[in-house]
Amino acid sequence: MKKAVFLLTTILTTIFFVSCTNKSEEYIDPRGTDYAGSESCVQCHKVQSEMAFHSSHFKATAPAILGNVSGDFDSKNHTFIYDKDTKLVMEKQGDSLYQVLYKNGKEVSKYKFEIVFGTKHAQTSVYWKNNNTYELPVSFYHSINNWATSPGFPADKPYFDRMVVKDCYACHSSNVSSRTVNQSSEDKNFMSMDVEDAINKKTIVYGIDCERCHGPAKKHVDFHLKNPNIKIANSITSFKSLSRQQRLDACALCHAGNDGMKLKSRFDFKPGDNLSEFFRETRSINDTTNFDVHGNQFRLMAQSKCFINSNKMDCITCHNPHENASKNMASYSKICMSCHQGLKHKETTLKTMPEKLLADNCVECHMPKKASNAINFQLSNSKQLSSYILRTHKIGTYPSTKK
Ligand code: HEC
Ligand code: HEC
Ligand code: HEC
Ligand code: HEC
Ligand code: HEC
Ligand code: HEC
Ligand code: HEC
């Protein structure tokens, strides 16, 4: 019986995926008929599509199928020990992946990896329970190439009750629909409120896709399919026509932290919209707060003299929006030099690094890597908190680390 259900689901999923990749008229986007889906863009925008499909944006959330999940499931590093009786083991069973809880050597429960969040530095996963998703207690971190506690989770006992709410999806996916339902009263852990959002699994559009940044594009696609000789873009917002603030807002939507008072859902944002209509400003642009390096590139950049005094720096000055951040630091130096021609460092600075080397490494000294205070994690059998390290976007002069 179970097998039959499994087979049926497999067939249905296959049909679903096949129909998704079909470029034909039949594709129905969960966001509605204004949307065409990313697959439809490839035929006319091959360059942007091939880049973007491989980017971290497209992988910001994904179904937790083999190949999408990072980390070790069968050899040495797949066990997290809470205490001498309690351990959590990452296990592969058939085509599915689980975090399996053992007490005194006996399996007590297991939780299936269903959706993964993140790809570049770390990956956390969720399982489904009562139409909602809950974070698994152990995540994978590339910096240590190992499993450790999910951010903020305890290292001395397993915890499975942290709901991953719609807000997470609003920055990590392109669509999630939910409806408000009466929470079953059986759930004793459920505090005060008796209503809660239920996420409709079928409506999830994984990752940050073309139309998440460019807005609904079905009309654009239909127009250009009918008028193949017209080479001027129709029915799509051009970033070139936007003001600097509008261009910044299109990135700041997800890269400016999460402490504003929400007025509208992030999912409703389209390029050209003003972010001030989505969040009540709680911070002035002159704010001197030490913003965290995690998730707040916009506010850190906005504190830099480069940003304030150039009147033109935005995210696209340094990033191709369809590609990941470059690993080639010299390429960023070229961008710095386009505004800082004829720059002279002091003799004392040049003593620490010869001018030729310095010219390729502006970023190492002026945008150093910093530990996040918001995110930290603990390894199995360790009391020590490890921190999450990202490059600061506050361009400035920092005390040198080596003497
Ligand atoms: C049938 C061909 C066709 C399809 C399919 C198509 N486009 Fe376009 N698109 C064009 C043409 C033609 C232009 C104008 C020339 C150019 O910029 O390449 C354009 C331009 C654009 C621009 C630049 C607008 C500007 O003025 O800066 C964006 C953004 C864009 N398309 C997004 C998309 C997205 C997103 C999809 C998929 C949902 C898509 N396009 C599908 C033909 C197409
Ligand atoms: C993270 C947001 C983001 C995503 C995702 C994204 N774009 Fe863009 N795209 C932009 C921005 C911003 C620009 C303007 C770049 C500029 O002006 O230099 C742009 C420009 C374009 C252009 C104009 C030509 C160019 O390269 O500047 C096309 C065409 C385009 N995008 C198509 C796509 C397609 C197709 C996808 C999906 C495969 C996609 N974009 C995904 C943000 C995004
Ligand atoms: C809908 C939310 C959203 C929007 C809009 C968005 N980003 Fe992102 N961005 C993310 C998330 C989430 C990640 C982390 C992806 C990961 O590693 O899993 C990310 C990652 C990145 C990265 C690092 C990718 C890497 O692997 O090096 C860069 C660079 C970036 N974004 C730039 C931009 C720029 C520029 C814009 C505006 C054109 C933009 N983002 C718009 C959510 C967003
Ligand atoms: C305001 C937008 C926003 C919200 C809300 C948000 N994130 Fe993120 N998240 C980001 C951005 C942007 C990055 C990547 C850049 C960074 O770390 O600064 C990121 C990075 C991550 C990463 C690491 C990915 C990587 O490798 O860079 C994970 C895992 C993650 N988020 C999970 C979550 C979960 C789970 C939630 C909800 C509890 C959540 N995020 C809520 C914007 C957001
Ligand atoms: C769009 C132009 C532009 C770009 C690109 C740019 N800067 Fe600047 N930067 C400026 C301007 C303008 C100032 C302010 C100069 C002043 O007021 O004297 C400045 C100031 C600085 C300062 C002095 C900061 C302080 O607090 O005193 C440093 C250091 C600096 N830039 C380094 C860099 C580095 C490194 C890069 C590349 C990662 C870079 N800049 C990219 C325009 C730019
Ligand atoms: C002056 C150049 C510059 C500007 C402007 C800039 N970035 Fe970056 N960004 C970088 C550099 C350099 C890196 C680090 C690449 C690395 O170390 O691999 C980076 C990395 C990132 C990352 C990945 C973080 C990490 O440490 O892996 C994200 C996310 C990001 N940028 C988003 C943005 C957003 C959003 C904006 C606009 C608010 C922006 N950047 C503006 C230069 C810039
Ligand atoms: C070895 C570290 C290091 C590297 C690499 C480096 N800088 Fe600096 N930079 C400094 C220090 C320290 C200062 C302050 C003392 C000085 O002016 O030499 C400074 C000062 C500056 C200033 C401010 C000058 C002023 O008038 O106040 C700018 C602008 C600047 N650097 C840009 C750059 C750019 C662009 C690059 C890459 C071509 C670069 N730096 C590479 C360490 C570095």
Side-chain angles (χ1 to χ4, degrees):
M1 176 59 195
K2 256 206 179 129
K3 249 204 182 124
V5 173
F6 176 72
L7 204 70
L8 188 67
T9 345
T10 319
I11 293 167
L12 288 177
T13 340
T14 315
I15 293 171
F16 179 68
F17 279 115
V18 169
S19 59
C20 279
T21 47
N22 193 338
K23 286 167 205 152
S24 80
E25 293 283 291
E26 283 155 43
Y27 172 80
I28 297 166
D29 193 281
R31 288 165 287 193
T33 51
D34 291 345
Y35 287 81
S38 297
E39 287 294 337
S40 72
C41 315
V42 189
Q43 51 189 317
C44 300
H45 300 297
K46 205 157 181 272
V47 176
Q48 289 84 0
S49 303
E50 276 171 5
M51 276 183 197
F53 288 173
H54 294 106
S55 68
S56 300
H57 277 140
F58 264 72
K59 298 175 196 157
T61 39
I65 52 171
L66 296 178
N68 286 348
V69 186
S70 310
D72 201 341
F73 281 83
D74 26 48
S75 66
K76 47 199 187 310
N77 291 329
H78 68 139
T79 303
F80 190 96
I81 295 166
Y82 287 102
D83 60 45
K84 63 180 183 12
D85 305 325
T86 320
K87 64 177 183 177
L88 191 69
V89 187
M90 306 336 123
E91 287 182 17
K92 180 168 166 255
Q93 300 177 5
D95 280 343
S96 300
L97 302 166
Y98 297 89
Q99 293 195 358
V100 187
L101 183 64
Y102 290 90
K103 286 246 182 210
N104 300 314
K106 280 212 187 72
E107 177 179 327
V108 246
S109 50
K110 64 177 183 182
Y111 302 84
K112 188 168 180 230
F113 284 75
E114 299 271 16
I115 298 171
V116 291
F117 276 74
T119 172
K120 186 182 193 181
H121 298 283
Q123 188 174 73
T124 201
S125 306
V126 300
Y127 71 94
W128 285 101
K129 184 174 80 180
N130 301 337
N131 295 313
N132 268 301
T133 54
Y134 291 81
E135 191 163 1
L136 292 170
V138 165
S139 293
F140 185 79
Y141 298 87
H142 289 283
S143 60
I144 50 170
N145 191 27
N146 206 345
W147 301 96
T149 55
S150 295
F153 277 62
D156 56 354
K157 55 175 178 296
Y159 182 76
F160 296 97
D161 295 327
R162 185 188 184 202
M163 197 191 283
V164 166
V165 295
K166 204 176 162 184
D167 210 34
C168 304
Y169 292 90
C171 286
H172 282 266
S173 80
S174 296
N175 188 64
V176 163
S177 303
S178 63
R179 66 196 158 84
T180 305
V181 292
N182 289 321
Q183 186 75 19
S184 76
S185 51
E186 297 156 39
D187 192 345
K188 293 189 192 73
N189 296 326
F190 206 77
M191 311 277 282
S192 58
M193 292 184 299
D194 58 354
V195 287
E196 184 50 43
D197 275 354
I199 290 177
N200 183 347
K201 202 174 187 169
K202 291 195 206 86
T203 63
I204 302 178
V205 177
Y206 292 100
I208 294 146
D209 75 351
C210 313
E211 288 164 290
R212 181 77 168 114
C213 287
H214 287 293
K218 182 82 165 100
K219 259 197 194 146
H220 169 75
V221 169
D222 288 348
F223 176 90
H224 287 288
L225 283 172
K226 276 198 202 92
N227 302 281
N229 297 325
I230 297 182
K231 299 296 175 203
I232 298 161
N234 186 283
S235 304
I236 191 106
T237 307
S238 170
F239 274 90
K240 295 198 172 63
S241 69
L242 301 183
S243 69
R244 182 196 191 198
Q245 191 55 52
Q246 287 171 314
R247 267 181 286 136
L248 287 163
D249 282 0
C251 308
L253 177 68
C254 309
H255 289 278
N258 200 23
D259 51 6
M261 233 258 296
K262 220 152 282 159
L263 306 172
K264 285 195 222 171
S265 161
R266 277 192 178 85
F267 282 124
D268 295 337
F269 186 95
K270 316 255 173 343
D273 286 354
N274 300 314
L275 208 51
S276 59
E277 288 167 22
F278 288 71
F279 297 95
R280 183 159 298 145
E281 264 325 318
T282 51
R283 305 213 180 258
S284 98
I285 196 94
N286 309 320
D287 200 315
T288 53
T289 310
N290 290 320
F291 293 111
D292 199 85
V293 286
H294 164 64
N296 220 334
Q297 288 79 16
F298 170 69
R299 289 189 208 281
L300 287 164
M301 179 182 78
Q303 293 180 331
S304 318
K305 284 215 180 115
C306 307
F307 177 85
I308 299 164
N309 293 358
S310 73
N311 282 320
K312 63 173 189 195
M313 177 178 276
D314 61 29
C315 308
I316 311 168
T317 307
C318 296
H319 295 294
N320 177 336
H322 306 126
E323 254 183 337
N324 289 343
S326 173
K327 291 191 175 68
N328 177 355
M329 293 303 130
S331 69
Y332 290 106
S333 288
K334 289 206 181 74
I335 300 169
C336 309
M337 294 304 271
S338 70
C339 290
H340 292 286
Q341 291 147 353
L343 165 84
K344 277 273 165 275
H345 280 85
K346 294 194 178 120
E347 281 305 321
T348 45
T349 310
L350 295 174
K351 263 188 207 142
T352 63
M353 198 188 269
E355 197 152 18
K356 253 188 110 181
L357 204 64
L358 180 139
D360 283 344
N361 285 294
C362 314
V363 163
E364 291 303 343
C365 296
H366 293 296
M367 296 179 72
K369 289 188 175 168
K370 298 239 166 214
S372 162
N373 295 314
I375 305 229
N376 48 44
F377 49 90
Q378 276 169 278
L379 276 143
S380 179
N381 276 326
S382 163
K383 295 254 177 303
Q384 206 193 321
L385 284 176
S386 300
S387 49
Y388 196 70
I389 293 172
L390 294 172
R391 215 170 265 290
T392 182
H393 276 66
K394 185 173 177 178
I395 309 171
T397 305
Y398 293 83
S400 110
T401 39
K402 22 180 206 276
K403 264 264 136 56

